[in-house]
Amino acid sequence: MTVPSHAVSTHGLRLKAGSHALRSTVELLSSMRFSISLLTVICIASVIGTVLKQQEPIGNYVNQFGPFWAQVFGAVSLYTVYSAWWFMLILAFLVVSTSLCISRNTPKILADLNQLKENIREQSLQAFGHRAQAALVEGPEAAARRIGQTLVQGGWKVKLQQRTTSGGEGWMVAAKAGAANKLGYIAAHSAIVLVCVGGLLDGDLIVRAQMWLNNKSIYTGGGLIADVPAQHRLSERNPTFRANLLVAEGTQSSTAILNQPGGVLLQDLPFAVELKKFIVEYYSTGMPKLFASDIVIHDKATGEKIPARVEVNHPVRHKGIEIYQSSFDDGGSSVTLKAVPLAVGSQATSKAFEIQGTIGGSSKLTNGQGEGAEKMTLEYTALRVINVENFGGTGSMGAGSGADVRKVDLRQSLDARLGAANKTREKKELRNVGPSVTYKLRDASGQAREFHNYMLPVKMDAAESSPALFLLGVRENPAEPFQYLRIPADEQGSMEGFLRLRRALADPAQRDLAVKRYVRQAIAADRPDLAAQLSASASRALALFAGPDQPVSGGQTRPLAGLQAISDFMEANVPEDERNRAGEVLVRILNGVLFELAQLTREQSGLQPLLRDDTTQAFMAQAVLSLSDAHYYPAPMAFELKDFTQLQASVFQVARTPGKNIVYLGCALLILGIFAMLYVRERRLWVWLAPAGGAADSEESRTALEKGPESGAGSQATMAMSTNRQTMDGGKEFEMLKIKLLQVPR
């Protein structure tokens, strides 16, 4: 630790009694080198805790560091640095070490505060950097009292000492100012102790002690909170805790959750919190600007009902427990989803149906019939009512757009996968694209994929003819961004036009009809000999694009279909120098046949045929891409959000923090201590006043005497000043004192 300049030492408190081990331990704990080492370790640990996200799911760390290092970092509690046993132990050692350091140096500092060192020899004053001599017309006693009075008025602590010299009675004026500088050392070191003690009280130390002494254990199971056994619960009298409390609108809760490594502990509260209404206001960017909860506190002891409002940075306090607005979540919103079958042909074993569920709940599904039916679990993960996205260009987009701080920018995520390499700067165009639902499909083995689907079609392009797109997102694990299947909306704003086309594409009979219609329109009446060749090419292109009719068996990979299948066919069967021309012809044929297939499906459904305009062309261009990508959608069906009833929940942080006031006191002492050490200079001043005509000890004394009065009524003054820091202000102050005290002209 830092000690006063006159007592700088790296060794600690040295006991004169006791065993060698005890004396060595006390010396080490109270030494400066040990305290600095502890502070260094705490700083490094704090950096790790800041850089490495704390208390994340273990899967996130495995994805980031790999299984081996994730396990190593978890073993040393790097994911919960501030509650790790070794971090608490270091804080405790730092408290002991700093306290011993204070006890070792405080007596010296306090003793030094009252010492003006008036016994210093007059010859020693000649060695100071700031010194001056002058002859005064007053006698030594009168001059001493005048100088002392002047210094007292200037805020100095003064002491006069009379001495007998060979030349007569001399007087020593000893003065001191800036004693708060030394007190700053005590204040700063005491602040470290108080902050560490407050951190220990408000940390997990008390909770860990209860687990050790009261046989409390971490709960790792699930189920209802009311069913959790008592050994996993902490008493209402728990002196310190910081836990989370989730309350849905219209409900109340009196049990908070303390997250612990590997599980949770339940903290019973002396009151219940009822959420009457949760309020959230948004900026134009879709980011929340206000969280607020209208609550009623139900006191268990008195039965009193206390209405209150909790906002961010405006907590409510009751019975020593503060209730903070931490976040918000879904409180169990109900959703209605429509299953949209995407598997076609022989794999189309399911039909469209609607299913209702609750966010946070799940439903059992079966894909197919008989013994080979695949059983799945549909888990309703999240409902977002507002999704504000930036459609102004990639240059101005950031990860912070959107209503939820955990989401990614939709347009940026999609454009990154469209193959465009150019990046331009454009102005922001923020748009609310409406609600979305997130769910997981989990198979019988427990493997799950996460899906994120928007309720309304999103118009991604500003062109009037471009179609709006239904966005169906999917990802394998939470560490990956969503990848989207983009399905064009028809003139009714639904997926039905695309789904009809997809079903017809999987039907060989429908494909044959479309090929015949295309050939009739593409071949001139005078060239019937080309019909057979064009029909064969069109049938081949459409079959490749549609993919094989047989389903994929268990261990096989997904068969090639879509544009990738046509590309592979070209590489295998067409010479390289002819591929460009042949590819253009084949794609033109494919687009023409798909257009006729779309017209055929509309006729069969009793709809008007598509017009040959820019809107139809844009729809078909996107439909071709979507048909190609749909083969690789990793689920037999997608769930479209049809309706919902939102129910909000508020996440509170409830905390009893007895160490908070101690930390505040420590911070105040730290500020005062640092201010005193940096901005208060300790100065000591001595003025030796000898009778005029006495023995001169130096050439300067003799010179001053020669200039002084010839009679012996005056006195000879020698002044010197020391300061703990050599600054320009010290030199200026000495010059001012020399003029004021010794009456030396400028």
Side-chain angles (χ1 to χ4, degrees):
M1 303 300 296
T2 307
V3 295
S5 57
H6 68 85
V8 173
S9 175
T10 59
H11 67 76
L13 186 63
R14 293 177 175 175
L15 299 180
K16 297 181 179 180
S19 64
H20 177 72
L22 177 62
R23 287 186 281 115
S24 299
T25 301
V26 172
E27 194 279 331
L28 176 64
L29 289 177
S30 61
S31 64
M32 182 196 306
R33 61 184 184 277
F34 185 69
S35 299
I36 292 177
S37 300
L38 292 178
L39 281 174
T40 303
V41 175
I42 288 177
C43 290
I44 294 174
S46 300
V47 170
I48 294 174
T50 302
V51 175
L52 183 62
K53 290 184 178 180
Q54 301 290 286
Q55 296 183 341
E56 290 282 304
I58 187 62
N60 293 2
Y61 298 117
V62 172
N63 293 333
Q64 185 175 0
F65 303 114
F68 175 77
W69 287 111
Q71 187 175 5
V72 171
F73 294 160
V76 295
S77 303
L78 292 187
Y79 309 140
T80 53
V81 169
Y82 303 113
S83 60
W85 65 268
W86 52 266
F87 190 83
M88 296 295 178
L89 186 62
I90 292 174
L91 285 181
F93 271 113
L94 185 59
V95 169
V96 174
S97 178
T98 310
S99 300
L100 291 174
C101 187
I102 293 173
S103 66
R104 177 168 63 93
N105 292 287
T106 298
K108 302 176 184 179
I109 295 174
L110 295 179
D112 188 66
L113 290 177
N114 298 320
Q115 291 181 359
L116 300 184
K117 298 183 179 181
E118 68 277 5
N119 294 320
I120 189 172
R121 297 177 62 212
E122 58 270 21
Q123 290 85 354
S124 301
L125 300 181
Q126 305 298 329
F128 283 82
H130 296 298
R131 67 182 186 276
Q133 289 184 327
L136 304 179
V137 296
E138 307 157 288
E141 181 177 359
R145 297 189 183 282
R146 177 183 61 80
I147 292 173
Q149 183 66 27
T150 303
L151 290 173
V152 169
Q153 293 175 355
W156 293 70
K157 186 177 181 181
V158 180
K159 189 172 184 179
L160 303 181
Q161 183 189 58
Q162 185 180 10
R163 298 182 188 178
T164 301
T165 65
S166 58
E169 295 294 329
W171 287 77
M172 175 66 75
V173 180
K176 180 180 180 181
N181 177 270
K182 294 289 180 63
L183 296 177
Y185 290 101
I186 300 177
H189 290 65
S190 300
I192 295 176
V193 174
L194 292 176
V195 170
C196 291
V197 169
L200 289 172
L201 290 177
D202 290 349
D204 281 357
L205 185 63
I206 304 299
V207 174
R208 297 289 178 87
Q210 293 188 66
M211 294 174 63
W212 297 331
L213 301 177
N214 297 336
N215 295 322
K216 301 295 183 180
S217 60
I218 294 174
Y219 183 67
T220 58
L224 298 176
I225 291 179
D227 298 334
V228 178
Q231 65 265 27
H232 308 302
R233 295 176 175 269
L234 299 178
S235 169
E236 296 177 358
R237 297 184 299 274
N238 184 11
T240 175
F241 60 85
R242 191 179 296 272
N244 293 323
L245 181 69
L246 187 144
V247 187
E249 287 181 332
T251 66
Q252 58 180 276
S253 176
S254 62
T255 304
I257 297 176
L258 281 80
N259 292 319
Q260 297 291 315
V264 298
L265 288 172
L266 300 186
Q267 174 63 58
D268 292 326
L269 302 175
F271 54 83
V273 177
E274 178 186 1
L275 179 62
K276 302 297 290 185
K277 185 177 182 181
F278 176 75
I279 303 166
V280 57
E281 296 179 2
Y282 296 93
Y283 290 105
S284 60
T285 61
M287 295 294 292
K289 67 177 180 180
L290 171 67
F291 302 155
S293 299
D294 291 333
I295 65 172
V296 176
I297 299 175
H298 299 262
D299 192 286
K300 293 181 179 179
T302 64
E304 184 181 7
K305 298 180 180 180
I306 306 171
R309 183 182 178 94
V310 184
E311 297 182 12
V312 177
N313 298 326
H314 294 84
V316 171
R317 184 178 180 88
H318 184 69
K319 286 193 171 181
I321 299 176
E322 291 183 319
I323 306 172
Y324 297 89
Q325 182 69 59
S326 176
S327 181
F328 65 94
D329 207 338
D330 194 281
S333 301
S334 60
V335 294
T336 300
L337 305 182
K338 178 183 178 181
V340 179
L342 292 179
V344 293
S346 57
Q347 301 182 49
T349 56
S350 59
K351 297 181 179 180
F353 62 91
E354 287 191 356
I355 186 170
Q356 292 184 339
T358 302
I359 299 299
S362 62
S363 300
K364 299 295 184 182
L365 301 176
T366 302
N367 181 27
Q369 299 178 351
E371 296 182 357
E374 180 183 2
K375 295 182 179 180
M376 297 181 296
T377 302
L378 173 62
E379 300 175 0
Y380 310 94
T381 306
L383 170 70
R384 297 178 188 164
V385 177
I386 295 178
N387 289 276
V388 176
E389 306 294 347
N390 181 13
F391 288 82
T394 60
S396 58
M397 286 189 288
S401 65
D404 194 314
V405 296
R406 298 166 295 181
K407 69 178 291 299
V408 296
D409 191 290
L410 176 64
R411 181 65 185 269
Q412 187 179 29
S413 300
L414 292 178
D415 285 350
R417 289 160 179 80
L418 295 181
N422 62 307
K423 294 183 179 180
T424 60
R425 291 186 175 272
E426 300 178 19
K427 66 178 182 179
K428 288 185 177 180
E429 181 188 340
L430 302 176
R431 193 194 319 161
N432 178 17
V433 296
S436 66
V437 64
T438 304
Y439 61 88
K440 290 183 180 180
L441 278 178
R442 192 177 302 275
D443 59 24
S445 64
Q447 299 297 317
R449 289 186 178 91
E450 189 175 15
F451 298 84
H452 180 215
N453 299 342
Y454 287 82
M455 182 179 187
L456 304 175
V458 180
K459 195 171 181 63
M460 305 290 296
D461 199 316
E464 184 177 354
S465 60
S466 62
L469 305 175
F470 285 96
L471 303 174
L472 310 180
V474 60
R475 63 183 177 185
E476 297 292 333
N477 60 73
E480 298 177 354
F482 283 105
Q483 294 180 312
Y484 290 87
L485 173 63
R486 295 161 292 128
I487 296 179
D490 57 20
E491 69 275 11
Q492 303 298 325
S494 71
M495 298 186 195
E496 190 55 36
F498 171 82
L499 296 176
R500 286 196 306 266
L501 181 59
R502 178 159 168 73
R503 290 192 295 267
L505 180 64
D507 187 350
Q510 294 283 75
R511 295 202 300 263
D512 289 342
L513 289 176
V515 169
K516 292 178 180 178
R517 290 177 56 137
Y518 173 73
V519 171
R520 282 199 305 268
Q521 296 186 18
I523 298 299
D526 57 344
R527 297 297 305 273
D529 54 309
L530 298 178
Q533 182 179 357
L534 180 59
S535 177
S537 298
S539 298
R540 182 61 174 170
L542 205 56
L544 287 171
F545 189 78
D549 296 330
Q550 297 299 321
V552 180
S553 59
Q556 296 180 2
T557 59
R558 190 178 298 273
L560 287 178
L563 297 175
Q564 185 63 48
I566 294 178
S567 175
D568 291 350
F569 174 80
M570 297 286 294
E571 291 183 2
N573 298 277
V574 179
E576 184 175 359
D577 56 346
E578 299 180 8
R579 287 176 190 169
N580 289 338
R581 183 174 58 83
E584 293 177 359
V585 173
L586 197 58
V587 169
R588 191 181 305 115
I589 293 174
L590 175 64
N591 289 336
V593 177
L594 287 175
F595 178 76
E596 295 301 328
L597 186 62
Q599 297 285 46
L600 182 62
T601 61
R602 294 180 66 86
E603 290 179 9
Q604 294 171 350
S605 300
L607 300 175
Q608 294 293 327
L610 292 171
L611 300 176
R612 296 179 179 271
D613 56 10
D614 293 341
T615 300
T616 299
Q617 183 178 358
F619 174 85
M620 290 304 303
Q622 181 58 54
V624 171
L625 298 176
S626 302
L627 288 170
S628 178
D629 294 340
H631 290 282
Y632 304 97
Y633 193 76
M637 64 189 75
F639 287 90
E640 181 184 4
L641 179 62
K642 301 300 292 184
D643 194 11
F644 63 88
T645 301
Q646 187 183 27
L647 182 63
Q648 297 272 35
S650 189
V651 180
F652 301 106
Q653 184 180 86
V654 289
R656 178 181 281 153
T657 55
K660 180 178 66 174
N661 293 330
I662 299 177
V663 172
Y664 288 162
L665 177 60
C667 292
L669 285 179
L670 185 62
I671 293 172
L672 292 175
I674 292 178
F675 181 86
M677 289 188 293
L678 293 181
Y679 297 102
V680 177
R681 292 181 297 108
E682 183 189 52
R683 294 99 69 205
R684 291 180 181 272
L685 183 73
W686 295 272
V687 181
W688 168 245
L689 298 163
D697 296 322
S698 66
E699 182 65 29
E700 293 181 4
S701 301
R702 290 190 292 271
T703 303
L705 286 173
E706 293 173 357
K707 298 180 179 179
E710 297 179 355
S711 66
S715 60
Q716 173 64 28
T718 302
M719 185 175 75
M721 189 178 77
S722 69
T723 179
N724 63 331
R725 290 195 304 274
Q726 297 295 331
T727 63
M728 294 179 62
D729 291 338
K732 293 179 180 179
E733 184 180 19
F734 181 76
E735 293 298 324
M736 293 177 62
L737 289 172
K738 184 170 65 173
I739 295 170
K740 183 182 296 185
L741 302 180
L742 303 185
Q743 299 178 348
V744 176
R746 294 179 180 272

